[in-house]
Amino acid sequence: MGDVYALLGQELLRLRLERGLSLRKLARQLGMAAHSGIVDYERGVRIPPPDLMTAYVQVLRPEGNRLTQLYEAAMADRAQQRVLNSIQPEIPDRPADLEWVAKQYVEQIMALNDVVRALEELTRALTDAVA
């Protein structure tokens, strides 16, 4: 977490300022009741949910695919952190049990495959929104 969230936030901020939008005006255009969430996204504290990201693309109309790539990277990073956080409390104090390690590895692969599928769907939705 961190760097990729910050890069996404910087890109969202850059695009908003480039379009001459205030926080409140962008919030209205995105269908948000308040602008505080936008501040969190632009600071790299949080990642916008997929439906809001689609709205961002429709409102900001970014050129190229940098915003989409940054979003996908942030989502992948968050998924990886969640997987790592979910298994760390279970790590045994004794030397690694090969069967346990293999099971954890398979579960991580399955979780990451789900993330890849979700990102592919999101990419299609964002591409359709831009087109």
Side-chain angles (χ1 to χ4, degrees):
M1 187 164 106
D3 290 343
V4 71
Y5 284 35
L7 290 173
L8 174 62
Q10 290 169 7
E11 184 67 5
L12 291 171
L13 174 62
R14 184 189 70 77
L15 289 168
R16 177 176 65 81
L17 295 176
E18 196 174 83
R19 305 301 184 266
L21 296 170
S22 69
L23 288 167
R24 286 182 174 81
K25 187 170 184 177
L26 178 60
R28 281 193 303 274
Q29 290 185 9
L30 294 174
M32 298 172 69
H35 67 278
S36 59
I38 293 174
V39 173
D40 286 347
Y41 304 140
E42 290 181 355
R43 288 184 179 162
V45 175
R46 294 174 38 210
I47 303 173
D51 59 330
L52 186 57
M53 196 64 208
T54 300
Y56 259 113
V57 169
Q58 290 173 340
V59 170
L60 297 177
R61 298 270 183 221
E63 293 182 22
N65 59 357
R66 177 171 166 72
L67 183 60
T68 302
Q69 289 174 337
L70 289 171
Y71 185 70
E72 289 173 355
M75 293 294 282
D77 184 72
R78 181 169 68 182
Q80 179 183 11
Q81 290 303 316
R82 286 182 175 173
V83 168
L84 292 175
N85 291 339
S86 72
I87 66 163
Q88 292 204 356
E90 301 173 25
I91 295 175
D93 292 333
R94 58 183 162 59
D97 173 16
L98 188 56
E99 186 175 324
W100 180 88
V101 171
K103 179 183 175 220
Q104 297 303 313
Y105 181 73
V106 168
E107 288 175 6
Q108 288 180 26
I109 295 291
M110 290 170 56
L112 290 174
N113 283 337
D114 290 342
V115 170
V116 168
R117 280 191 289 280
L119 289 173
E120 288 171 346
E121 290 175 26
L122 177 62
T123 299
R124 281 191 291 277
L126 291 173
T127 301
D128 292 345
V130 171

